[in-house]
Amino acid sequence: MRTIFKIWILINTIWIINGCKQNSQENKTPDFQFDSIHTVISDTSQLNWIARDLNSLWTPNTNDLNITESILKTAIKENMNEYWSLLDTLTVKKYHRQYTFYTNSNNDSIVFINAFCRVLNIPVDSAGIWIMRPCDWKNTFMMVNDGGDCYWSIKINLTRKTYFDFKVNGEA
């Protein structure tokens, strides 16, 4: 009888511990979440200039995004200079960001981020009349020449926990 009672207590203890672990994981707030100023571009016709060695696209999880954010902040700290007036580890969260998640020819998981502090208006032909409309940045990569640290891009290799091709626009 004591053996059955001990087994019952052991099983209930394991069940309670596992339930607490699951609840604590579910309630954990991620460091980074997609919102209205973040989008994923997965239109492969737009990706040729980003990654010549694109193998396939993939979908990140919360941990991938948190690691990406951490590596991004490291890249900003390591590359800050006197020409930057907007971009730093605190203001980076205010930038609009376009993401593409892909694997390269080595099967490394790469995150490409294209970022900008404001959405530009672009000229659009409307029945022979040119009008200015905001760029469709949620579906089309926004590319800008100049503009300083309002515009930048970076590639993050999640497999190797490194970054490369960190480019901050210059000013004309």
Side-chain angles (χ1 to χ4, degrees), residues 62-123:
T62 301
N63 188 51
D64 295 327
L65 295 172
N66 289 338
I67 293 169
T68 297
E69 195 69 7
S70 174
I71 293 171
L72 172 59
K73 287 181 180 177
T74 297
I76 291 169
K77 284 180 194 173
E78 292 178 355
N79 291 278
M80 272 184 111
N81 62 60
E82 68 273 10
Y83 300 108
W84 293 6
S85 60
L86 302 173
L87 180 60
D88 62 38
T89 56
L90 297 175
T91 60
V92 68
K93 66 184 172 202
K94 296 178 182 177
Y95 278 76
H96 290 74
R97 296 189 207 172
Q98 298 173 312
Y99 288 82
T100 295
F101 304 93
Y102 69 94
T103 58
N104 65 11
S105 55
N106 295 326
N107 279 329
D108 289 347
S109 296
I110 308 296
V111 180
F112 172 75
I113 304 171
N114 186 46
F116 38 95
C117 66
R118 64 184 163 274
V119 177
L120 295 178
N121 287 327
I122 58 171

Side-chain angles (χ1 to χ4, degrees), residues 123-157:
V124 178
D125 184 3
S126 177
I129 300 171
W130 288 93
I131 57 174
M132 299 299 281
R133 291 215 172 122
C135 175
D136 182 17
W137 70 275
K138 294 236 179 195
N139 297 301
T140 305
F141 280 108
M142 192 170 93
M143 301 310 303
V144 177
N145 292 325
D146 298 326
D149 61 339
C150 183
Y151 305 96
W152 53 270
S153 64
I154 189 170
K155 292 178 185 171
I156 295 174
N157 185 321

